Amino acid sequence: MERPSPPGSDPPPTGRITRGTTGLNRLRRSDRWTAHHPDIVRALSDVPQSALAVDVGYGARPDTTLEWAGWLRRTAPTVRVVGLEIDPARVVPGRDGVEFGLGGFELAGLRPNVIRAFNVLRQYDEAEVPQAWATMTARLRPGGRLIEGTCDEVGRRCCWVLLGPEGPISLTLAWAPGHTERPSDLAERLPKALIHRNVPGEKIHEMLALADECWDHAAGFATYGHRIRWRHAAALLAERTDGVARAPRRPLRDNVLTLPWASVAPRT
Ligand SMILES: C[S@@+](CC[C@H](N)C(=O)[O-])C[C@H]1O[C@@H](n2cnc3c(N)ncnc32)[C@H](O)[C@@H]1O
């Protein structure tokens, strides 16, 4: 079985140490989505050997990796979960069936079915994102997926990109229904590849403006609650984008918007 490098082994992990801020349960919106997404379910289930999931940059405490493992096991009970940290001082002993080790974007030589890197690239430069994505996705097993995203301190607003070996597939925005005024409030939590692109002339800016318009249009449903209002706003957004912005089919606890990457990708 492949093992992550013990602290101190060579070659050095790819990337650099950043702030280790994390928080109990703050990635729950992404975790819920991950556990049900067909690509992830397929990546974890349709595999000849036991599936491997790697969480890159779990921070000062391993809580979010342990929580992620619980969600992934609902889909794949035997999945092996490894948390990697580039800071040797943050590498902790394994716990609850989850392993922890020293590693960076090269994934300590592991070849996972699913990779996650949350609140890691936000502390890098935008220009460093493509290489980091390429280094991680090059390590994916066939059919594998990378989830790379950002959230606020307590996880009320959360955005992530889903990627395969060929590149980015989609952008998902998820937020707590009662804590966000308008969809464009998510802009400050966009992944690094997009956060500086929320400006006139860029697709993400146009999409968020349109989402706000649909949200305003659905104001009449506010008395039924923010979730119901968002369902109507999302359906209108789907209509106005010819189905590009997909309205969730089933009622969800979170307000969620998933967009194909091509509809939000930087123009330059
Ligand atoms: C803000 S914390 C995120 C913790 C957790 N993922 C979360 O979202 O709550 C970012 C962590 O990523 C680590 N990190 C930064 N670059 C990394 C890399 N290339 N490989 C592995 N870890 C990295 C940092 O050392 C830091 O501990």
Side-chain angles (χ1 to χ4, degrees):
M1 190 192 278
E2 307 160 301
R3 293 266 159 224
S5 330
S9 66
D10 286 326
T14 315
R16 59 177 177 274
I17 297 171
T18 56
R19 281 190 310 278
T21 322
T22 185
L24 272 177
N25 225 5
R26 75 168 178 166
L27 303 184
R28 61 196 175 283
R29 292 177 212 287
S30 173
D31 286 346
R32 283 199 272 273
W33 177 93
T34 301
H36 293 106
H37 194 280
D39 282 15
I40 306 288
V41 172
R42 212 174 302 121
L44 292 176
S45 320
D46 290 356
V47 289
Q49 64 219 96
S50 184
L52 171 64
V54 173
D55 194 17
V56 180
Y58 54 83
R61 297 172 50 94
D63 303 316
T64 51
T65 309
L66 294 166
E67 290 158 2
W68 191 50
W71 282 95
L72 297 178
R73 285 175 187 144
R74 294 179 183 204
T75 301
T78 62
V79 63
R80 179 182 168 215
V81 181
V82 177
L84 293 178
E85 240 304 324
I86 199 163
D87 182 350
R90 294 179 186 152
V91 176
V92 292
R95 215 170 93 192
D96 301 339
V98 177
E99 301 160 52
F100 298 97
L102 183 72
F105 298 136
E106 82 302 335
L107 309 182
L110 297 171
R111 291 195 61 86
N113 304 87
V114 176
I115 308 166
R116 177 175 79 171
F118 237 95
N119 296 304
V120 174
L121 285 175
R122 70 183 308 173
Q123 297 177 66
Y124 284 71
D125 293 333
E126 184 187 354
E128 295 176 283
V129 172
Q131 186 57 57
W133 279 357
T135 305
M136 289 188 278
T137 55
R139 304 293 313 164
L140 283 170
R141 288 190 203 158
R145 292 289 182 263
L146 162 66
I147 301 159
E148 190 271 304
T150 305
C151 70
D152 65 12
E153 291 70 17
V154 291
R156 284 181 179 149
R157 295 175 189 166
C158 203
C159 305
W160 58 89
V161 183
L162 177 71
L163 301 99
E166 307 76 24
I169 297 167
S170 63
L171 170 74
T172 295
L173 315 182
W175 62 97
H179 290 91
T180 293
E181 289 290 316
R182 315 183 86 204
S184 63
D185 291 350
L186 272 283
E188 63 195 39
R189 297 298 160 179
L190 284 169
K192 195 69 188 192
L194 291 177
I195 193 160
H196 305 297
R197 303 307 184 122
N198 186 33
V199 291
E202 289 286 358
K203 293 189 231 178
I204 183 67
H205 188 261
E206 290 159 13
M207 191 60 87
L208 289 175
L210 192 56
D212 280 355
E213 262 179 57
C214 296
W215 177 250
D216 292 344
H217 198 85
F221 294 97
T223 47
Y224 300 105
H226 299 285
R227 283 191 193 91
I228 303 289
R229 180 176 173 183
W230 174 245
R231 285 189 69 72
H232 286 273
L236 183 60
L237 184 61
E239 207 179 292
R240 290 203 183 165
T241 58
D242 290 330
V244 164
R246 290 184 295 262
R249 265 179 255 121
R250 57 195 171 91
L252 298 175
R253 187 189 299 194
D254 307 320
N255 283 356
V256 176
L257 172 61
T258 294
L259 301 156
W261 182 252
S263 72
V264 293
R267 283 210 161 99
T268 50

